[in-house]
């Protein structure tokens, strides 16, 4: 079965925290704003810090849940420039999007000093649609689904030190349509899929019973896409074989937690995402495309994204033996310089606020609910500041996420 090249949809696949990365893949992680690396104690430990599996009690752990993601409209007020003499009013709003993202985690019983676990997550779910106006020329529809399967193991080196790691299998499928026939005679229809793999590593150290320190790393993964691209001019389409490679960047987490009275835990987390590996988007075609389409579809698009820092803090409080409440905050950077902002991903720095609760139904079963609000900063682009000809102000956008889940140990 032939697959259609994703084009820029792939470039935004892993873009979740700053560019729509979604590190929150369980109830606890959502409730704590992903400040959940050093102090993990459920089945989701397999995903967030597999080294910590070595310190869990001698039982099996499982968690099943679902996240609803609501993406409000992005508002743009301004102009679109196609050339120095062709600048047109482009005030518009994108469509509202709603996504459902499942997650499953499992940790097995220990086998001596070894232990294994696995996770199935959807770390990249994104849809952006502009149904009218100049934005439709560039991003009529921009949809991506990413599923990750991550089997892991841990090894208990000593009573207070453990290491872990695993293999990451990532399947993605996406769609990118752009339709300029009402304004420009160009159109594209592209869909595709890919299966890639990488690895993750983790290390945990507990100098005392109430302090945990951790380092985790998720590798860079290059998505190597091959397929067909359908390009249209004046309503007449042609199909071309094509290929493109884009990176899913490496991520490093450093975390420390402190627990008081076995009831209250504070975690601090620093996350570094290596977006600078994304320098340009360059397509290769099996044969020459029509000359008039070269500037839109064949010339390499400069990206020059920046590495980003995210700072997270999470607080867990056991208010009763059966009720635990959680809250978190994160300051998140966008990797995209204003010079390269586009309608597919009008990203900005964000403040992230989270809340959650977990309730024990009995000694083995618990259920939880968590909420996350992502507040994007508004920003403006002056004439000549943006390489894509955008002049004006982006506002609103952001995201609201709700997670529910069941956890069971046996």
């Amino acid at each position: 079965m032939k697959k259609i090249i994703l084009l820029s949809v792939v470039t935004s696949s892993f873009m979740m925290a700053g560019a729509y990365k979604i590190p929150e893949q369980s109830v606890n992680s959502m409730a704590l704003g992903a400040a959940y690396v050093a102090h993990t104690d459920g089945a989701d430990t397999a995903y967030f810090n597999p080294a910590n599996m070595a310190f869990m009690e001698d039982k099996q752990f499982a968690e099943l849940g679902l996240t609803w993601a609501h993406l409000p409209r992005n508002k743009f007020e301004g102009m679109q420039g196609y050339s120095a003499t062709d600048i047109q009013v482009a005030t518009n709003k994108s469509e509202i999007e709603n996504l459902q993202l499942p997650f499953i985690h499992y940790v097995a019983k220990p086998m001596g000093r070894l232990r294994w676990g696995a996770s199935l997550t959807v770390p990249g779910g994104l849809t952006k649609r502009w149904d009218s106006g100049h934005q439709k020329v560039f991003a009529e529809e921009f949809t991506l689904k990413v599923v990750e399967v991550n089997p892991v193991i841990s090894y208990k080196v000593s009573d207070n030190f453990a290491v872990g790691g695993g293999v990451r299998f990532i399947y993605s499928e996406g769609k990118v349509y752009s339709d300029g026939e009402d304004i420009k005679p160009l159109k594209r229809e592209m869909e595709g899929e890919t299966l890639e793999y990488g690895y993750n590593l983790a290390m945990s150290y507990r100098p005392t019973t109430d302090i945990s320190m951790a380092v985790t790393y998720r590798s860079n993964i290059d998505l190597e896409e091959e397929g067909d691209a359908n390009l249209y001019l004046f309503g007449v389409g042609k199909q071309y074989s094509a290929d493109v490679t884009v990176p899913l960047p490496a991520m490093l987490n450093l975390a420390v937690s402190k627990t008081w009275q076995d009831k209250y835990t504070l975690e601090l987390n620093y996350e570094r995402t290596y977006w600078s590996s994304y320098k340009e988007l360059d397509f290769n075609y099996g044969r020459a495309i029509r000359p008039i389409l070269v500037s839109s579809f064949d010339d390499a698009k400069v990206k020059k994204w920046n590495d980003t820092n995210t700072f997270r803090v999470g607080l867990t409080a056991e208010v009763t033996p059966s009720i635990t409440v959680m809250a978190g905050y994160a300051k998140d950077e966008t990797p995209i310089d204003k010079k390269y902002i586009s309608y597919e991903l009008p990203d900005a720095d964000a403040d992230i606020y989270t809340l959650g609760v977990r309730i024990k139904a009995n000694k083995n079963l618990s259920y939880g609910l968590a909420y996350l609000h992502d507040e994007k900063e508004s920003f403006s682009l002056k004439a000549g500041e943006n390489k894509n000809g955008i002049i004006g102000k982006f506002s609103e956008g952001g995201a609201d996420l709700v997670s529910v889940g069941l956890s069971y140990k046996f």
Side-chain angles (χ1 to χ4, degrees):
M1 179 180 68
K2 292 183 177 180
K3 59 182 180 180
I4 310 258
I5 280 293
L6 297 185
L7 201 74
S8 56
V9 71
V10 176
T11 72
S12 297
S13 63
F14 205 59
M15 313 169 189
M16 303 166 241
Y20 296 107
K21 177 167 49 88
I22 307 175
E24 302 85 1
Q25 293 295 324
S26 69
V27 170
N28 284 3
S29 65
M30 183 73 71
L32 294 166
Y36 189 65
V37 175
H39 185 264
T40 61
D41 57 7
D44 52 358
T45 297
Y47 184 80
F48 292 99
N49 182 358
N52 271 354
M53 295 190 302
F55 301 123
M56 297 170 66
E57 61 182 307
D58 188 7
K59 291 187 176 183
Q60 297 181 76
F61 294 80
E63 180 175 357
L64 171 68
L66 183 68
T67 296
W68 286 270
H70 172 73
L71 307 180
R73 301 178 191 273
N74 284 102
K75 182 179 180 181
F76 177 70
E77 300 171 280
M79 314 287 285
Q80 174 62 49
Y82 295 99
S83 68
T85 58
D86 185 6
I87 302 174
Q88 303 181 37
V89 175
T91 297
N92 202 358
K93 285 188 176 184
S94 67
E95 299 300 306
I96 294 172
E97 309 296 346
N98 293 287
L99 310 171
Q100 293 77 46
L101 313 173
F103 53 83
I104 302 173
H105 305 286
Y106 173 76
V107 174
K109 286 186 177 182
M111 299 175 290
R113 292 182 176 272
L114 288 171
R115 198 165 193 168
W116 71 273
S119 295
L120 186 152
T121 61
V122 183
L126 172 64
T127 296
K128 182 63 61 182
R129 290 180 297 132
W130 300 83
D131 285 349
S132 63
H134 294 273
Q135 291 77 12
K136 187 178 178 182
V137 176
F138 304 94
E140 178 185 13
E141 181 175 352
F142 177 82
T143 299
L144 179 78
K145 298 177 182 179
V146 175
V147 177
E148 178 173 349
V149 177
N150 185 200
V152 294
I153 61 171
S154 68
Y155 180 75
K156 192 173 186 179
V157 180
S158 67
D159 288 341
N160 64 352
F161 180 66
V163 295
V167 181
R168 303 170 58 208
F169 298 98
I170 292 182
Y171 170 78
S172 69
E173 60 182 40
K175 178 189 296 184
V176 57
Y177 290 174
S178 60
D179 185 355
E181 290 187 352
D182 294 336
I183 300 171
K184 301 290 181 181
L186 306 179
K187 182 179 179 179
R188 60 184 175 186
E189 296 176 345
M190 305 183 182
E191 298 180 4
E193 61 185 9
T194 186
L195 178 64
E196 305 291 347
Y197 64 92
Y199 65 90
N200 64 302
L201 301 172
M203 179 175 65
S204 289
Y205 175 59
R206 298 185 171 183
T208 64
T209 57
D210 57 354
I211 295 177
S212 296
M213 306 170 68
V215 179
T216 65
Y217 177 80
R218 303 186 83 83
S219 70
N220 179 85
I221 298 176
D222 287 329
L223 296 180
E224 299 179 5
E225 300 289 338
E226 295 181 354
D228 298 322
N230 295 324
L231 310 178
Y232 295 81
L233 178 64
F234 294 106
V236 178
K238 287 189 177 183
Q239 189 173 84
Y240 303 85
S241 62
D243 66 80
V244 65
T245 299
V246 292
L248 299 181
M251 293 185 297
L252 174 71
N253 275 272
L254 307 176
V256 60
S257 69
K258 165 71 174 176
T259 300
W260 293 269
Q261 303 173 23
D262 291 326
K263 292 184 177 181
Y264 310 102
T265 299
L266 177 70
E267 176 158 339
L268 303 176
N269 176 269
Y270 165 72
E271 180 181 282
R272 180 76 167 176
T273 305
Y274 295 94
W275 287 112
S276 59
S277 60
Y278 186 27
K279 302 182 184 303
E280 67 176 15
L281 181 68
D282 188 12
F283 277 79
N284 300 301
Y285 297 91
R287 58 191 174 92
I289 67 173
R290 294 183 238 188
I292 196 172
L293 299 177
V294 169
S295 61
S296 297
F297 300 133
D298 197 16
D299 287 349
K301 308 300 181 185
V302 177
K303 297 299 181 181
K304 293 185 179 178
W305 283 21
N306 304 307
D307 294 342
T308 60
N309 301 309
T310 303
F311 298 92
R312 307 179 188 275
V313 57
L315 177 63
T316 302
E318 184 181 304
V319 295
T320 74
S322 61
I323 299 176
T324 299
V325 297
M326 296 161 281
Y329 169 77
K331 183 65 178 179
D332 194 22
E333 290 183 332
T334 177
I336 310 174
D337 190 280
K338 286 184 177 182
K339 185 184 297 185
Y340 305 112
I341 284 287
S342 62
Y343 296 116
E344 296 93 358
L345 195 63
D347 196 35
D349 292 350
D351 294 289
I352 299 172
Y353 307 91
T354 62
L355 289 170
V357 61
R358 181 169 289 282
I359 300 172
K360 290 183 179 180
N362 55 51
K363 65 178 182 179
N364 294 323
L365 178 66
S366 68
Y367 54 92
L369 173 69
Y371 169 71
L372 179 150
H373 176 69
D374 184 315
E375 184 73 27
K376 295 290 185 183
E377 296 179 2
S378 300
F379 64 94
S380 297
L381 301 172
K382 300 177 182 178
E385 187 176 12
N386 180 259
K387 293 291 186 179
N388 296 311
I390 302 172
I391 307 166
K393 179 181 179 181
F394 283 99
S395 59
E396 301 179 13
D400 292 284
L401 287 75
V402 175
S403 288
V404 296
L406 288 172
S407 296
Y408 189 69
K409 57 183 179 179
F410 52 100

